[in-house]
Amino acid sequence: MSGLNGARVLVTGGAGFIGSHLVDELVRRGAASVTVVDNLVNGRRENIAHHIADAAADDATVRLVADDIRSEAALALVDDADVVFHLACLGVRHSLHNPRENHEVNATATLELLERARAAGVRRFVHVSSSEVFGTAQYAPMNEEHPTWPETVYGGSKLAGEAYARAAYRTHGMPVVVVRPFNTFGPRSHFEGDSGEVLPRTIVRALCGLPGFVYGDGEQTRDFLHVSDTARALAEIAECDAAIGRTVNVGSGAEVTINELVETVARLAGRPDLEPVRLEARPGDVRRLLVDNTLVSELTGFAPRTGFEQGVADLVDWFRTRPESPEEMLSRIEDRNWVASEPAGVTS
Ligand SMILES: NC(=O)c1ccc[n+]([C@@H]2O[C@H](COP(=O)([O-])OP(=O)(O)OC[C@H]3O[C@@H](n4cnc5c(N)ncnc54)[C@H](O)[C@@H]3O)[C@@H](O)[C@H]2O)c1
């Protein structure tokens, strides 16, 4: 089996930003069933509710199991899956104020899931890692052989997770593939709390008539891939037999500075007059990221379809049409969102 059509799929973290778009993609591809396990710490029921409310209209049955991947009940879901996409994790800023829990979820729980999936004999396990395993670019564009020197516990825990996934392939021949998306953007992306990303935060601020924040000199770069492209890449890599045992980078292949991002948002939000607020550099902020997509394109023919400018214009429109007003969203943005809002070590 290499196709997703007719497969029983488990998506950890499937109520989150990328996971929910992956669920959309799996339904489009005719998965027989899609089980989402997500404890909703950062995910939202609403992100997949359109499938659950209207399951009869799709060929797939989508269901949400609101549980922690560290629980036995969540692990048991692996037993009924043909394909597992593992996306559940805690983010980079969370790792700055709660490194131990970040490690438990991103690394230890990944090992447990892999062990369970091996025992269950799953036909494909797609481990979703991150370009944060690299740290800052030592050369660009960055291929899969680029050294891994993560700058945060998040990057370290994602690297541990992917190392365990590769080990499952090397030691036991388990059909595993590791995917490293670069920065992903689009609808359902996070502006709030410690999940808040620069692009949605800047858009919400612009819609409130406020300038974007630039940390440091703003010349740090990111490689932004539209989430519809990320989801399609994940599905295509899962369907590719030649990808088994491989580690595959996925990005847009275009580099955007934070200064350019803030200018683009202000212009597309109709507020080109907004001058960015310049603040001191953030801890653990990598300097440069730019993908080399050669391997993913050789394996699957993948190429991004939505460019940065078009994707940001669409995202501004998406934020304009949220039920929450921009001011309500703004109240959920924390300016220094890498700082603990509770004592370190406390499980949220
Ligand atoms: N967003 C990006 O730019 C980006 C870039 C590279 C890689 N990734 C990777 O993609 C994956 C998805 O990221 P995302 O941006 O959609 O983030 P997200 O926070 O929206 O999704 C992660 C989901 O995991 C869930 N989760 C967290 N801890 C859990 C637990 N203990 N049990 C069950 N569910 C839990 C959250 O509720 C959330 O819905 C992650 O593995 C991340 O490392 C994201």
Side-chain angles (χ1 to χ4, degrees), residues 13 15-19 38-43 67-70 87-90 105 128-130 154 158 181-184 190:
F17 165 44
I18 298 176
D38 195 308
N39 66 356
L40 304 177
V41 63
N42 292 315
D67 214 332
D68 194 299
I69 53 163
R70 292 167 287 183
L87 289 87
C89 85
L90 293 167
V105 172
V128 179
S129 182
S130 166
Y154 170 77
K158 295 298 288 184
F182 281 53
N183 295 85
T184 294
H190 298 281

Side-chain angles (χ1 to χ4, degrees), residues 95-266:
S95 80
L96 298 178
H97 65 78
N98 203 340
R100 288 177 188 79
E101 188 188 24
N102 204 265
H103 169 85
E104 273 169 30
V105 172
N106 298 358
T108 309
T110 295
L111 179 59
E112 298 296 341
L113 267 175
L114 283 161
E115 283 295 288
R116 189 71 176 225
R118 183 163 70 85
V122 300
R123 288 186 265 174
R124 196 65 42 98
F125 188 104
V126 181
H127 176 68
V128 179
S129 182
S130 166
S131 56
E132 288 289 318
V133 300
F134 293 122
T136 195
Q138 295 177 24
Y139 60 80
M142 301 158 81
N143 59 11
E144 289 72 13
E145 281 69 47
H146 185 285
T148 47
W149 288 98
E151 298 202 3
T152 56
V153 165
Y154 170 77
S157 65
K158 295 298 288 184
L159 183 57
E162 65 169 65
Y164 297 151
R166 277 189 293 270
Y169 168 73
R170 293 203 178 126
T171 314
H172 305 291
M174 190 176 149
V176 168
V177 55
V178 173
V179 186
R180 290 173 176 153
F182 281 53
N183 295 85
T184 294
F185 75 107
R188 308 177 199 148
S189 52
H190 298 281
F191 59 90
E192 76 288 357
D194 72 4
S195 296
E197 300 286 352
V198 58
L199 184 51
R201 282 159 60 95
T202 308
I203 291 174
V204 169
R205 286 183 58 82
L207 294 179
C208 291
L210 296 169
F213 291 137
V214 171
Y215 298 97
D217 66 5
E219 288 303 296
Q220 60 273 47
T221 68
R222 295 294 182 268
D223 177 318
F224 288 99
L225 184 64
H226 193 264
V227 67
S228 57
D229 286 323
T230 308
R232 186 166 47 85
L234 290 173
E236 286 179 4
I237 292 167
E239 290 187 326
C240 174
D241 291 336
I244 291 178
R246 308 293 297 266
T247 297
V248 187
N249 292 351
V250 183
S252 72
E255 206 170 7
V256 178
T257 70
I258 300 304
N259 287 326
E260 288 166 343
L261 178 153
V262 171
E263 181 280 322
T264 304
V265 168

